Amino acid sequence: MAAPESDTPVAEDLQQGLFSHLLELRTRLLKSVAAVVLVLLVLVPFANRLYAELAAPLVARLPQGAHLIATEVTSPFITPLKLAFYTALFISMPVILYQLWAFVSPGLYKHEKRLARPLLIAAMGLFYLGCAFAYFLVLPAAFRFLTAVTPQGVEMMTDITHYLDFVMLMFFAFGLCFEVPVAVVILAAIGVVDLEKLRSGRRYAIVGAFAIAALITPPDITSMMMLGIPMCLLYELGVLAVRWLVKPGSLRPDPG
């Protein structure tokens, strides 16, 4: 049985609306990819120098005569290129997030935009801060410990690909862990927790922070403390942000 004629314009409008959204999404994705590719093309000539800077925290603490090695034939070429790609993605992230925001923001309520915009900026800044914290403070301390506990008769020579994978994992882990204030604000804004629950849950947050730190960091107490303590402080920062910025259920749809 044919659909009523009155339904046809509605169906066509829905189809056109979906098509226009898909076109916009494709445009936003292409712009994001173009930003990454352009930055990557600029960085490729400096790939080896980038890897030397990334390896500096380990190389500076290797015993005399020890050095990084490449166990695969293509590693000296592929590994710096992988790092250049990761760096291009890292540098292009503001453009990618802007494209995401430009696509999503028209469908948000005003109060959601007011809260989402600073949260997005804070999330990006905290992720960068977590990566910098890992590179400048945690990795040197971890490598100092690992070189100190190397058994006698064992020469520490790390594969360049394994080192890159380890450092990228640390950057990603610390970047995510530094998102604690953003996560706390979002949970409070959607009504999952409130200020009193956050205050009363401090001891659980501390235990959870150090449990996560023990799982993520290298097996030394210094690295664990260097992640656990900042996570606790960031939790407190999130509690303060909830107190100042968030009304209960502020991300819920407007009534009516």
Side-chain angles (χ1 to χ4, degrees), residues 74-131:
T74 58
S75 291
F77 175 72
I78 296 297
T79 303
L81 281 182
K82 285 174 62 178
L83 175 60
F85 171 74
Y86 293 146
T87 306
L89 191 61
F90 187 84
I91 294 174
S92 304
M93 194 54 63
V95 177
I96 296 172
L97 290 178
Y98 172 77
Q99 296 300 328
L100 175 64
W101 172 256
F103 179 73
V104 172
S105 60
L108 299 178
Y109 295 100
K110 280 187 177 181
H111 64 280
E112 291 174 332
K113 289 182 181 180
R114 283 196 299 267
L115 188 59
R117 191 178 293 112
L119 282 180
L120 191 62
I121 295 172
M124 184 172 60
L126 287 170
F127 187 85
Y128 286 164
L129 181 62
C131 294

Side-chain angles (χ1 to χ4, degrees), residues 116 179 202 218-219 230 243:
E179 301 293 338
R202 278 191 176 100
R243 179 182 176 185

